[in-house]
Amino acid sequence: MSAYIYAARRTPFGKFNGGLAGVRPDDLAAHAIRAVLADVPGLDPAAIDDVVWGNANGAGEENRNVGRMAALLADLPTSVPGTTINRLCGSGLDAAMMASRQIETGDADIVLTGGVESMTRAPWVLPKPDRAFPARDMTAVSTTLGWRLVNPAMPKEWTVSLGEGNEQLQERFGISRAQQDEFAVRSHERAHAAWESGFYDDLVTPVTPPKGDAVVRDESIRPSSTVESLAGLKPAFRPDGTITAGNASPLNDGASSVLLGSEAAAKTLGVDPIARIVGRGTMALEPQAFGYAPVEAANRALARAGIGWDQVGAVELNEAFAVQSLACVGVWPIDPAIVNTRGGAIAIGHPLGASGGRILATLAKVLREDKQRYGVAAICIGVGQGLAVVLENPEAVS
């Protein structure tokens, strides 16, 4: 039995403290759920067997199982169960992978997946003191991104910042600042062109916050970016480093949702599938080298799909950093031109839990538009992991 993607929607990805800053993450998630279900009007929501949702933080308004909370806020019947999973940046993609296994084993027929992150609204946290009312200062720790409240037993080399880990990757592969800036500019150019062409019109649904104007497009795209303008930015992690705010993904808010089902679910849903999941791969290595983990994750996913890189016509690789994207693309035997043809996370944004659903939905549409049969969606994950999924375009099957 195979698992298919039937519909996918996401919110625009808002800037940190941008247009979506006033929207709670559980409300963003509910908005994405309502949008994807509107694309399958023949579906009785009570027929959904499970909701599997990704979220990387879980420390703020998305606490208490945001997948279940979002389903309730979206007015799904109380009989529809829901769970939230956390594989950091890969949470949304992992949600779809888990759901596909449920379907393949016959445990479910229709599963609603997705992910959400509000990096703006991520709270500060205080560790509990060892006794009541200590007579010392306490430090609030941001939960927006990266390590926090680190266990002292962890080796120091494992707990470096995400940026420092990627500066180490830059040293390992000799990827220059100019190469990273060129990659970033291409991301902005392609994302802008995709929006202008209408590519995202049926993938993104606007959000109107409680206060302010509707957010219609991804807010971080800068079509005016040039290699010259990015070259003027200061390094962010080392005084003499190569990674800047211009060649790394920004902080963002957003949600995505992907509806999966069995082949037989087409009758219940009243729509044809847009992609079939044919391979999955998971990889782990040293925490500081996380940016390189998609390499083997994708290789494993292709092996399980029973195909080779020569059959891949499109790749969606989440651009956490330009340097890690270039490192991965540099060792895969592919034409770099097929990677992120409609822009990537450097331009579009990377609201952690939502990014997996974004790249999966984008890949499915790219395969259809470009008339390609197979594609790979891959993502790197903090603390040394990577995930990948191979999709097949049903329209391209002879």
Side-chain angles (χ1 to χ4, degrees):
M1 185 181 297
S2 294
Y4 294 82
I5 296 173
Y6 282 91
R9 283 275 179 171
R10 67 174 176 89
T11 70
F13 286 177
K15 287 182 179 179
F16 190 77
N17 282 323
L20 298 180
V23 185
R24 289 173 55 110
D26 45 3
D27 285 329
L28 282 174
H31 188 79
I33 289 174
R34 286 190 292 267
V36 80
L37 293 182
D39 287 340
V40 284
L43 172 64
D44 177 359
I48 298 171
D49 294 301
D50 204 359
V51 174
V52 184
W53 209 257
N55 177 251
N57 198 315
E61 294 161 334
E62 71 279 83
N63 74 87
R64 295 287 291 173
N65 187 0
V66 69
R68 172 65 171 168
M69 298 299 113
L72 295 172
L73 288 167
D75 295 322
L76 268 63
T78 56
S79 60
V80 176
T83 188
T84 302
I85 57 100
N86 184 352
R87 204 191 286 257
L88 300 180
C89 301
S91 299
L93 192 60
D94 208 13
M97 293 168 71
M98 290 183 178
S100 68
R101 296 186 192 102
Q102 289 178 279
I103 292 164
E104 290 173 4
T105 59
D107 284 347
D109 194 45
I110 300 171
V111 184
L112 182 63
T113 75
V116 66
E117 212 74 47
S118 176
M119 301 178 83
T120 298
R121 298 175 74 90
W124 293 285
V125 298
L126 285 173
K128 284 190 174 181
D130 50 11
R131 60 185 179 83
F133 311 116
R136 64 177 185 274
D137 293 338
M138 299 293 289
T139 301
V141 179
S142 172
T143 65
T144 299
L145 179 70
W147 293 90
R148 76 289 303 253
L149 304 179
V150 179
N151 190 316
M154 281 280 187
K156 297 294 184 184
E157 63 270 22
W158 286 0
T159 61
V160 297
S161 71
L162 303 179
E164 170 57 27
N166 276 275
E167 287 286 10
Q168 293 176 19
L169 204 62
Q170 181 274 327
E171 290 178 325
R172 176 179 169 186
F173 289 98
I175 299 169
S176 70
R177 164 77 180 268
Q179 288 175 294
Q180 294 174 56
D181 289 347
E182 288 167 5
F183 184 90
V185 168
R186 188 189 74 168
S187 183
H188 286 284
E189 290 175 344
R190 288 184 166 186
H192 177 68
W195 269 107
E196 290 298 298
S197 72
F199 177 85
Y200 287 113
D201 289 354
D202 62 355
L203 290 179
V204 179
T205 187
V207 177
T208 302
K211 297 180 180 179
D213 298 328
V215 179
V216 177
R217 287 193 177 191
D218 302 311
E219 292 185 322
S220 296
I221 299 171
R222 300 187 304 276
S224 62
S225 292
T226 64
V227 173
E228 291 74 22
S229 65
L230 294 190
L233 298 176
K234 293 182 179 180
F237 301 99
R238 293 181 179 180
D240 59 346
T242 63
I243 298 173
T244 71
N247 59 36
S249 61
L251 306 178
N252 297 94
D253 310 326
S256 61
S257 187
V258 182
L259 184 67
L260 275 66
S262 66
E263 185 174 10
K267 293 181 180 179
T268 304
L269 297 170
V271 297
D272 293 327
I274 59 176
R276 182 170 75 98
I277 293 179
V278 294
R280 297 173 293 259
T282 307
M283 174 60 179
L285 36 64
E286 297 84 358
Q288 69 273 27
F290 72 94
Y292 196 63
V295 170
E296 185 56 27
N299 291 339
R300 292 179 180 184
L302 287 168
R304 287 162 185 158
I307 64 171
W309 278 108
D310 60 326
Q311 294 170 271
V312 173
V315 174
E316 283 294 319
L317 173 63
N318 193 61
E319 300 167 356
F321 295 84
V323 66
Q324 61 84 205
S325 300
L326 288 164
C328 293
V329 174
V331 297
W332 287 329
I334 57 171
D335 181 352
I338 71 170
V339 179
N340 299 350
T341 56
R342 273 65 171 185
I346 289 174
I348 293 168
H350 179 26
L352 310 180
S355 290
R358 178 191 72 80
I359 63 172
L360 202 60
T362 301
L363 179 63
K365 186 169 182 182
V366 167
L367 292 175
R368 298 196 310 279
E369 280 206 352
D370 295 355
K371 296 179 172 55
Q372 298 294 325
R373 181 170 180 179
Y374 293 111
V376 173
I379 195 165
C380 68
I381 303 164
V383 201
Q385 298 191 82
L387 294 177
V389 169
V390 178
L391 292 186
E392 181 184 54
N393 173 12
E395 297 176 357
V397 178
S398 56

